Amino acid sequence: MSDDLKISKRKPTYPISEKLDTYLSEYRRNIDLPIFYSDLLRFQGSIVVYDKNDEDTLWVRVYYNDYEREEIDRSLKQVYSHLLSDGGKGILKFLSVDAIDFCTFGNSKPFRIKVRNILNDNFTHFYVKTADASRVYGLELEQMLSPYQINFLVCKDTLIEEHIAGIPGDEFIKNMLPDCSPKEKAQIAKEFVKFNERCLIRLLGDMRSYNYVIVPTHDFDHVVFKIRAIDFDQQSYEGNLKIYRPQFFKENYKMVELVRKKIQNESVDQYKIEERSIVAKRMISYHTRLNALLDCMVEDEISIPKHIEMLKEDIYGYTMDLNFRKSKNMGEILRNALDFVKRNYEDVNLRRL
């Protein structure tokens, strides 16, 4: 654990390359949208959004001129239809855009759209962001290498993301973790070990407690807790290997303490092996698609030379695998990291034959 772990204040937004754009079209992530991120920036004013405890959420609710609002609402309902349905217009008459919120915190500065079904009052959120190549790579890797499905669309310089439901990690740690039973705390500790390993394997950085959610699921007579990333802005950008390991952020201190108290070192090693094996199996299942994505990444610019040099030396020191020193960019570093995990998995299974 280090309190001095620093993340770049202003990570640049990397454009979608032509090759990545072709990949997104092939896998149905690309679509013509009726509205873009820049259109939503033309709001006329805003009010602060407070939570149930009257604390500032860092979101503001924006409003537009009357002559623009009707067109914006219609376009956002069409986006909803493309993201969550078949893209048809038949459902539009049953939808209402109840709120458009804007967040000035962080790199992505997203808009959060609340869409309600007027027949039954059920509502759904989705996000409109600037299409950053780092984030798109992160989302695709999450789809392929994590246990979770993820839904997003890209059109030119605009990214649409489905909301990921769960309890924000920082809120859970502060308000709910103290009341968990000993068995629940042990299970949460196990999940944090596996989440930590998964982030490291696929080089997803900046998993401070407010960048992931806790998802509780009732199973027979107990609750199972899962940890799920919600921010993919720091996919393969930073040079410090510790940034890809959630355990080193001070915001996760209580989770790390939980691991120390509840899990023996032998079990920590076991859970890491389990996670590596699961990721390796998913790599085999997604072999063609994953290689196509990595081909895009190898030819793309998603970091700076200083970070690339630092990271490949850090990982070499961690693995003693010379392939990392030969890496020329972040795409090659990630490919070598995934190959390293896959080789170890296959070697173990060969030895069992």
Side-chain angles (χ1 to χ4, degrees):
M1 175 87 60
S2 172
D3 292 342
D4 299 319
L5 203 54
K6 293 182 179 179
I7 295 176
S8 303
K9 294 286 186 182
R10 287 289 176 183
K11 173 190 162 293
T13 297
Y14 291 101
I16 306 296
S17 68
E18 185 175 340
K19 187 163 185 172
L20 180 56
D21 187 67
T22 301
Y23 167 92
L24 293 169
S25 296
E26 182 178 352
Y27 288 99
R28 304 294 188 269
R29 296 295 200 185
N30 236 343
I31 194 167
D32 289 330
L33 293 173
I35 192 168
F36 296 98
Y37 178 86
S38 56
D39 296 325
L40 294 178
L41 288 173
R42 299 199 303 265
F43 54 85
Q44 297 301 302
S46 63
I47 56 173
V48 175
V49 177
Y50 296 97
D51 64 16
K52 61 183 180 182
N53 298 316
D54 288 329
E55 294 182 3
D56 189 346
T57 63
L58 302 179
W59 290 83
V60 295
R61 187 146 299 165
V62 299
Y63 55 88
Y64 300 83
N65 288 328
D66 289 343
Y67 68 89
E68 284 189 302
R69 180 66 197 234
E70 185 176 345
E71 176 63 26
I72 288 172
D73 280 13
R74 182 166 57 249
S75 297
L76 289 174
K77 287 188 282 188
Q78 289 174 8
V79 170
Y80 172 95
S81 179
H82 284 296
L83 183 69
L84 297 165
S85 187
D86 61 357
K89 296 183 178 180
I91 66 170
L92 301 189
K93 60 180 176 289
F94 303 121
L95 303 177
S96 170
V97 177
D98 278 11
I100 303 174
D101 297 335
F102 180 59
C103 182
T104 57
F105 177 72
N107 282 316
S108 60
K109 293 184 171 54
F111 286 93
R112 181 178 61 198
I113 316 300
K114 180 181 179 181
V115 178
R116 179 172 55 89
N117 184 312
I118 60 177
L119 297 178
N120 53 34
D121 272 347
N122 284 328
F123 63 87
T124 304
H125 290 95
F126 67 85
Y127 299 89
V128 182
K129 303 178 180 180
T130 300
D132 172 36
S134 301
R135 194 174 297 114
V136 170
Y137 285 123
L139 288 163
E140 274 292 285
L141 289 165
E142 181 74 1
Q143 170 72 29
M144 289 185 264
L145 301 182
S146 85
Y148 309 108
Q149 298 292 308
I150 198 154
N151 196 8
F152 71 95
L153 297 170
V154 179
C155 182
K156 298 180 181 178
D157 61 353
T158 297
L159 170 66
I160 310 296
E161 283 183 40
E162 185 179 16
H163 174 67
I164 298 173
I167 305 164
D170 53 345
E171 180 181 320
F172 181 88
I173 290 169
K174 179 182 178 182
N175 299 321
M176 302 180 73
L177 183 59
D179 295 327
C180 289
S181 70
K183 283 188 177 181
E184 288 173 339
K185 287 180 178 178
Q187 193 264 319
I188 293 165
K190 169 188 171 181
E191 286 303 314
F192 186 78
V193 171
K194 300 185 81 165
F195 177 67
N196 189 79
E197 191 69 11
R198 188 162 66 246
C199 292
L200 175 63
I201 291 169
R202 43 80 57 96
L203 297 181
L204 176 62
D206 192 17
M207 282 299 108
R208 286 174 280 188
S209 56
Y210 47 78
N211 286 333
Y212 60 80
V213 293
I214 310 296
V215 184
T217 303
H218 288 268
D219 184 25
F220 294 108
D221 59 348
H222 66 288
V223 178
V224 176
F225 296 90
K226 299 292 184 180
I227 303 178
R228 186 173 180 185
I230 59 171
D231 191 327
F232 303 92
D233 184 61
Q234 287 283 352
Q235 175 64 53
S236 305
Y237 175 72
E238 295 288 348
N240 186 345
L241 184 60
K242 288 183 177 179
I243 287 173
Y244 302 103
R245 305 176 72 184
Q247 70 187 80
F248 287 106
F249 289 103
K250 65 178 185 295
E251 291 85 355
N252 293 326
Y253 175 77
K254 289 186 179 179
M255 298 292 263
V256 175
E257 282 295 292
L258 205 62
V259 173
R260 287 176 180 159
K261 292 176 181 177
K262 295 292 182 180
I263 303 183
Q264 296 176 336
N265 290 339
E266 293 82 0
S267 293
V268 169
D269 292 338
Q270 173 198 335
Y271 296 144
K272 286 182 178 181
I273 291 169
E274 286 179 9
E275 193 61 30
R276 289 179 210 140
S277 300
I278 291 170
V279 171
K281 290 174 184 176
R282 295 184 69 86
M283 288 168 59
I284 294 168
S285 298
Y286 278 98
H287 176 75
T288 302
R289 182 170 179 172
L290 181 59
N291 278 341
L293 183 72
L294 292 172
D295 286 345
C296 296
M297 209 169 177
V298 164
E299 295 185 20
D300 216 342
E301 178 187 348
I302 54 172
S303 189
I304 59 177
K306 175 185 174 183
H307 290 174
I308 294 166
E309 291 302 313
M310 181 180 178
L311 184 61
K312 70 183 189 181
E313 286 300 318
D314 272 7
I315 301 183
Y316 169 73
Y318 187 68
T319 63
M320 303 309 292
D321 186 334
L322 282 170
N323 287 319
F324 290 105
R325 280 191 163 170
K326 299 174 185 176
S327 303
K328 298 181 179 65
N329 53 48
M330 283 294 185
E332 290 190 3
I333 293 174
L334 179 60
R335 172 168 271 163
N336 286 325
L338 296 177
D339 284 346
F340 181 84
V341 171
K342 186 181 175 185
R343 282 200 314 271
N344 286 345
Y345 170 76
E346 291 173 338
D347 288 347
V348 169
N349 281 276
L350 279 173
R351 289 196 294 271
R352 289 173 178 165
L353 294 177

PDB file of all heavy atoms in Angstrom, residues 218-229:
ATOM      1  N   HIS A 218     -28.480 -12.489  -3.988  1.00  0.00           N
ATOM      2  CA  HIS A 218     -29.005 -13.449  -3.007  1.00  0.00           C
ATOM      3  C   HIS A 218     -28.952 -14.858  -3.593  1.00  0.00           C
ATOM      4  O   HIS A 218     -29.440 -15.104  -4.692  1.00  0.00           O
ATOM      5  CB  HIS A 218     -30.433 -13.076  -2.621  1.00  0.00           C
ATOM      6  CG  HIS A 218     -30.500 -11.859  -1.763  1.00  0.00           C
ATOM      7  ND1 HIS A 218     -30.492 -11.902  -0.385  1.00  0.00           N
ATOM      8  CD2 HIS A 218     -30.532 -10.538  -2.094  1.00  0.00           C
ATOM      9  CE1 HIS A 218     -30.541 -10.672   0.096  1.00  0.00           C
ATOM     10  NE2 HIS A 218     -30.563  -9.828  -0.917  1.00  0.00           N
ATOM     11  N   ASP A 219     -28.352 -15.779  -2.849  1.00  0.00           N
ATOM     12  CA  ASP A 219     -28.194 -17.159  -3.291  1.00  0.00           C
ATOM     13  C   ASP A 219     -28.585 -18.086  -2.142  1.00  0.00           C
ATOM     14  O   ASP A 219     -27.845 -18.211  -1.159  1.00  0.00           O
ATOM     15  CB  ASP A 219     -26.747 -17.400  -3.723  1.00  0.00           C
ATOM     16  CG  ASP A 219     -26.524 -18.792  -4.283  1.00  0.00           C
ATOM     17  OD1 ASP A 219     -27.502 -19.389  -4.777  1.00  0.00           O
ATOM     18  OD2 ASP A 219     -25.375 -19.280  -4.222  1.00  0.00           O
ATOM     19  N   PHE A 220     -29.742 -18.715  -2.255  1.00  0.00           N
ATOM     20  CA  PHE A 220     -30.283 -19.537  -1.178  1.00  0.00           C
ATOM     21  C   PHE A 220     -30.377 -18.727   0.119  1.00  0.00           C
ATOM     22  O   PHE A 220     -31.114 -17.773   0.202  1.00  0.00           O
ATOM     23  CB  PHE A 220     -29.458 -20.813  -0.988  1.00  0.00           C
ATOM     24  CG  PHE A 220     -29.527 -21.742  -2.168  1.00  0.00           C
ATOM     25  CD1 PHE A 220     -28.442 -21.908  -3.001  1.00  0.00           C
ATOM     26  CD2 PHE A 220     -30.692 -22.441  -2.445  1.00  0.00           C
ATOM     27  CE1 PHE A 220     -28.515 -22.757  -4.099  1.00  0.00           C
ATOM     28  CE2 PHE A 220     -30.772 -23.290  -3.538  1.00  0.00           C
ATOM     29  CZ  PHE A 220     -29.683 -23.448  -4.358  1.00  0.00           C
ATOM     30  N   ASP A 221     -29.579 -19.081   1.130  1.00  0.00           N
ATOM     31  CA  ASP A 221     -29.719 -18.438   2.440  1.00  0.00           C
ATOM     32  C   ASP A 221     -28.617 -17.429   2.730  1.00  0.00           C
ATOM     33  O   ASP A 221     -28.401 -17.058   3.880  1.00  0.00           O
ATOM     34  CB  ASP A 221     -29.747 -19.505   3.539  1.00  0.00           C
ATOM     35  CG  ASP A 221     -28.472 -20.348   3.545  1.00  0.00           C
ATOM     36  OD1 ASP A 221     -27.699 -20.252   2.568  1.00  0.00           O
ATOM     37  OD2 ASP A 221     -28.255 -21.097   4.519  1.00  0.00           O
ATOM     38  N   HIS A 222     -27.904 -16.982   1.682  1.00  0.00           N
ATOM     39  CA  HIS A 222     -26.838 -16.012   1.919  1.00  0.00           C
ATOM     40  C   HIS A 222     -26.709 -15.066   0.724  1.00  0.00           C
ATOM     41  O   HIS A 222     -27.365 -15.256  -0.310  1.00  0.00           O
ATOM     42  CB  HIS A 222     -25.502 -16.728   2.187  1.00  0.00           C
ATOM     43  CG  HIS A 222     -24.977 -17.480   1.006  1.00  0.00           C
ATOM     44  ND1 HIS A 222     -25.540 -18.646   0.547  1.00  0.00           N
ATOM     45  CD2 HIS A 222     -23.924 -17.219   0.181  1.00  0.00           C
ATOM     46  CE1 HIS A 222     -24.869 -19.087  -0.507  1.00  0.00           C
ATOM     47  NE2 HIS A 222     -23.883 -18.230  -0.753  1.00  0.00           N
ATOM     48  N   VAL A 223     -25.879 -14.047   0.907  1.00  0.00           N
ATOM     49  CA  VAL A 223     -25.648 -13.060  -0.146  1.00  0.00           C
ATOM     50  C   VAL A 223     -24.225 -13.223  -0.668  1.00  0.00           C
ATOM     51  O   VAL A 223     -23.273 -13.325   0.108  1.00  0.00           O
ATOM     52  CB  VAL A 223     -25.852 -11.620   0.395  1.00  0.00           C
ATOM     53  CG1 VAL A 223     -25.553 -10.592  -0.699  1.00  0.00           C
ATOM     54  CG2 VAL A 223     -27.275 -11.441   0.911  1.00  0.00           C
ATOM     55  N   VAL A 224     -24.092 -13.260  -1.995  1.00  0.00           N
ATOM     56  CA  VAL A 224     -22.785 -13.330  -2.640  1.00  0.00           C
ATOM     57  C   VAL A 224     -22.447 -11.945  -3.184  1.00  0.00           C
ATOM     58  O   VAL A 224     -23.272 -11.307  -3.839  1.00  0.00           O
ATOM     59  CB  VAL A 224     -22.783 -14.365  -3.785  1.00  0.00           C
ATOM     60  CG1 VAL A 224     -21.443 -14.352  -4.515  1.00  0.00           C
ATOM     61  CG2 VAL A 224     -23.082 -15.756  -3.237  1.00  0.00           C
ATOM     62  N   PHE A 225     -21.240 -11.469  -2.901  1.00  0.00           N
ATOM     63  CA  PHE A 225     -20.815 -10.149  -3.352  1.00  0.00           C
ATOM     64  C   PHE A 225     -19.794 -10.289  -4.487  1.00  0.00           C
ATOM     65  O   PHE A 225     -18.839 -11.057  -4.365  1.00  0.00           O
ATOM     66  CB  PHE A 225     -20.187  -9.368  -2.196  1.00  0.00           C
ATOM     67  CG  PHE A 225     -21.136  -9.069  -1.077  1.00  0.00           C
ATOM     68  CD1 PHE A 225     -21.287  -9.964  -0.023  1.00  0.00           C
ATOM     69  CD2 PHE A 225     -21.884  -7.907  -1.070  1.00  0.00           C
ATOM     70  CE1 PHE A 225     -22.165  -9.700   1.018  1.00  0.00           C
ATOM     71  CE2 PHE A 225     -22.768  -7.636  -0.034  1.00  0.00           C
ATOM     72  CZ  PHE A 225     -22.905  -8.540   1.009  1.00  0.00           C
ATOM     73  N   LYS A 226     -20.013  -9.552  -5.560  1.00  0.00           N
ATOM     74  CA  LYS A 226     -19.070  -9.501  -6.675  1.00  0.00           C
ATOM     75  C   LYS A 226     -18.556  -8.068  -6.822  1.00  0.00           C
ATOM     76  O   LYS A 226     -19.241  -7.106  -6.457  1.00  0.00           O
ATOM     77  CB  LYS A 226     -19.730  -9.950  -7.979  1.00  0.00           C
ATOM     78  CG  LYS A 226     -20.247 -11.388  -7.956  1.00  0.00           C
ATOM     79  CD  LYS A 226     -19.115 -12.386  -7.899  1.00  0.00           C
ATOM     80  CE  LYS A 226     -19.640 -13.811  -7.970  1.00  0.00           C
ATOM     81  NZ  LYS A 226     -18.545 -14.812  -7.916  1.00  0.00           N
ATOM     82  N   ILE A 227     -17.361  -7.930  -7.375  1.00  0.00           N
ATOM     83  CA  ILE A 227     -16.772  -6.610  -7.606  1.00  0.00           C
ATOM     84  C   ILE A 227     -16.623  -6.409  -9.106  1.00  0.00           C
ATOM     85  O   ILE A 227     -16.064  -7.257  -9.800  1.00  0.00           O
ATOM     86  CB  ILE A 227     -15.403  -6.475  -6.914  1.00  0.00           C
ATOM     87  CG1 ILE A 227     -15.553  -6.735  -5.412  1.00  0.00           C
ATOM     88  CG2 ILE A 227     -14.813  -5.091  -7.161  1.00  0.00           C
ATOM     89  CD1 ILE A 227     -14.240  -6.676  -4.641  1.00  0.00           C
ATOM     90  N   ARG A 228     -17.105  -5.281  -9.583  1.00  0.00           N
ATOM     91  CA  ARG A 228     -17.150  -5.037 -11.025  1.00  0.00           C
ATOM     92  C   ARG A 228     -16.650  -3.637 -11.362  1.00  0.00           C
ATOM     93  O   ARG A 228     -17.093  -2.647 -10.776  1.00  0.00           O
ATOM     94  CB  ARG A 228     -18.584  -5.212 -11.511  1.00  0.00           C
ATOM     95  CG  ARG A 228     -18.719  -5.117 -13.005  1.00  0.00           C
ATOM     96  CD  ARG A 228     -20.108  -5.454 -13.474  1.00  0.00           C
ATOM     97  NE  ARG A 228     -20.159  -5.340 -14.928  1.00  0.00           N
ATOM     98  CZ  ARG A 228     -21.258  -5.468 -15.643  1.00  0.00           C
ATOM     99  NH1 ARG A 228     -22.407  -5.738 -15.054  1.00  0.00           N
ATOM    100  NH2 ARG A 228     -21.217  -5.347 -16.956  1.00  0.00           N
ATOM    101  N   ALA A 229     -15.727  -3.542 -12.286  1.00  0.00           N
ATOM    102  CA  ALA A 229     -15.200  -2.246 -12.720  1.00  0.00           C
ATOM    103  C   ALA A 229     -16.286  -1.463 -13.453  1.00  0.00           C
ATOM    104  O   ALA A 229     -17.111  -2.032 -14.163  1.00  0.00           O
ATOM    105  CB  ALA A 229     -13.999  -2.451 -13.640  1.00  0.00           C
TER     106      ALA A 229
END
